[in-house]
Structures are given as structure tokens and as C-alpha cells.
Amino acid sequence: MSSDNKDSAVQYMEIPAVEIPAVDVTDAHPEPQMPSACETGGCGCATGASEPLPTFSFGEVTVNGVSIGEDVISREMQHHRAESAEAAWQAAARALVIKTLLLQEASDRNIAVQTESDAEQEADERSETDDDTQVRTLLEQVLTPEKVREEECRRYYDTQTHRFRTPDLFEAAHILIEPNEQSESAWQEAEQSACSLIEQLGDDAQAFSEAAEQYSGCPTAHQGGSLGQIRRGELEPALHDVLETLTEGTLNRKPVRSRFGWHLIRLHRKIDGRTLPFDMAREKILDMLEARAWVNSASHYIAELAQRADIEGVEIDSAADAVANVSTEHE
């Protein structure tokens, strides 16, 4: 497995990037939207002062006599989604225990961090803390992942062909008819205007472009209503659902409502996606399977360390439990 792939796989391990000394750790799918060209309003963000994170405690956690502080676990919780505070705390504590185990093992093996000169030489390749460096070096030394065979790559390709298909592209345009105000009568009036315009335009591309420049309330009016080439997920679902029903060169016969107003949608051209041949997908599949094998090997190694360690407060008692803290979904 290449060094780049190892570095990539390390990132999938749930080892939190917080400083934990080897001796004592106590002190240590958004709402769908129109493409940006179609946004009629402004954009802003609130930047209030961040509030301190609450501190939780569900028991003391130690690893071979080294205590992991409540504040450290509480900070780590923000990286673990769970149904309850206790479940998030347990997940955070397990992740910190795993990191502590690995750092202790690295220390026992006298794995030191790089010197400043060595680090400067690799500054352009990666950015990592001293703890990250120790963990990565340890795992590179001890792991022996299974070699990925050609037939495994072929089998993955044959069973996951949909992953190697380029998306369908829709070359489309629209006209946005906005209501004058947010009242039911204004929306009805805008809908009537949209219906009338559809009857006038038919499927005439030139007439559609001119009407967009004259009537559309979207910034794309300046380019004849063109949305360019779009794919699923780049329009609100209701709009894209209509777009996929259209024949090339036609305009939808009923306006579609969005939170912005009523839309006339025209499909200029559809470009069907294509499936990449195995030869083009092989390298990507190989990288993914090698990374998966590396992470699986790491999870078993972590489980072995946990079985030999004196851990209090959380349980990591099997390879399956370690796998829960090492993601294998990175294709």
C-alpha cells in the first residue's frame, strides 16, 4: 500500500486530534436550493460569540492508570453524534481511550516524533500533530494488511457498477415569475402570468430566451434564463422532477412553484451519464480496498491492545467494537 494511501486511511481512524500527554491527560442533506445564480436574496451569516461547551461526567475513565479528564471527553463529544448525551460521551471516551492506547504503545516502542528539519521537509505533504505522527509511525510499523488481489477489484466493480457511472447532465433554462408580495392573491396572479407566458412561448427557444430577459426575476435573465449544465441535487427536487420528464427542446406546460415564485422550465439537451470501464476504475478501487484492508488491520490491532490493557470507564472488548471506532466507508 502506498504511503499516500496509508496517510489517507489514518484519517478514517477515530483518533481525536486533541493533545493527550503520554503520562497524564487530565491537564492537558441542508435544505435543497437553487444554484447560486438563481438566488434572489442576499446571503449572510450570524457570527455570535461561541459559548463554552458543557462538561459531562458518566464516570471516571482511565487507561493503564492514566486518567482522561472529564473536560477532555466533553470537548471530544462534539465530534460524535448520538441519540443521547451519555451515548455521545461513551463514543468520545472510547475514541480517546483508543488514542491513548496507541500513544502509550508508541512510547513503549520508543517511537519519537520527527525532528524539526525532517518535519520541514514534509511540510508540503502533510500537516499533523506530534501525536498524529507517533500514531501513524506506530501503525506503519506494526500493521500487515492483507494484499488486495485483482479478482477482488473486479468483483467490487461488478457489484458496485453504479458507483462508477457519471451523472446525467441537463442543459436547461428557466424563467422565474415572482409574486409582488407574500399574499395568496399575489401568488395566484403570478401563477396566471406564468401560465399565460407558457401559452405564448410554446417550445420556441429564441422566444424563451427573449422572454427570460424581459420577465424573469432571476439573475439568469441576463443570460436568457440559462442554468447551464446541471445534475440532480443542484435544483430543488420539485423543479428537477419536472425537468426529467421533459423531452429535449420542450417547455413544461404547467409552472412549478418554489419558495421564490413560479418557474417555467425548458430542457435544451440531456447528456446521459456513462459507466466508466473497469480499466479506468481499477486504480480507484484498488486504493479504496487497500485503505479498507489497512483500517481493518488497525481495528484488530487496537482490539488486541485493549485486551491487554487495564481500561476503566468504557469497554473495548472485541475487534468488532474497535471497528466501530474505525470507519471503513471511504470509497
Side-chain angles (χ1 to χ4, degrees), residues 33-55:
Q33 298 187 10
M34 295 288 291
S36 58
C38 298
E39 291 288 1
T40 58
C43 175
C45 61
T47 56
S50 57
E51 298 181 0
L53 294 172
T55 298

Side-chain angles (χ1 to χ4, degrees), residues 85-210:
E86 182 174 3
W89 187 92
Q90 289 286 340
R94 279 194 295 271
L96 287 165
V97 165
I98 287 174
K99 179 172 184 177
T100 304
L101 278 173
L102 292 170
L103 288 174
Q104 288 178 349
E105 184 69 11
S107 178
D108 290 345
R109 291 174 178 263
N110 296 317
I111 296 176
V113 299
Q114 296 172 311
T115 64
E116 184 176 349
S117 57
D118 290 334
E120 288 177 348
Q121 292 177 2
E122 297 191 4
D124 294 334
E125 298 181 15
R126 64 174 66 92
S127 175
E128 58 185 3
T129 66
D130 289 349
D131 286 351
D132 294 334
T133 300
Q134 283 187 291
V135 168
R136 176 175 54 80
T137 304
L138 168 67
L139 295 178
E140 287 176 344
Q141 290 183 6
V142 301
L143 298 187
T144 53
E146 295 183 7
K147 184 176 178 59
V148 177
R149 297 170 296 178
E150 181 76 8
E151 52 267 33
E152 292 180 75
C153 294
R154 170 60 75 172
R155 188 184 310 115
Y156 184 89
Y157 176 83
D158 291 340
T159 58
Q160 304 290 330
T161 307
H162 63 281
R163 293 179 179 268
F164 306 100
R165 187 180 187 278
T166 60
D168 296 335
L169 296 177
F170 299 83
E171 192 173 301
H174 84 135
I175 297 174
L176 172 63
I177 306 299
E178 299 175 298
N180 293 327
E181 59 183 37
Q182 292 303 314
S183 66
E184 187 59 34
S185 60
W187 275 91
Q188 290 177 358
E189 183 179 344
E191 182 181 15
Q192 291 173 0
S193 298
C195 290
S196 176
L197 194 54
I198 287 174
E199 292 180 3
Q200 295 175 35
L201 298 178
D203 295 323
D204 189 314
Q206 183 61 35
F208 184 94
S209 179
E210 293 173 355

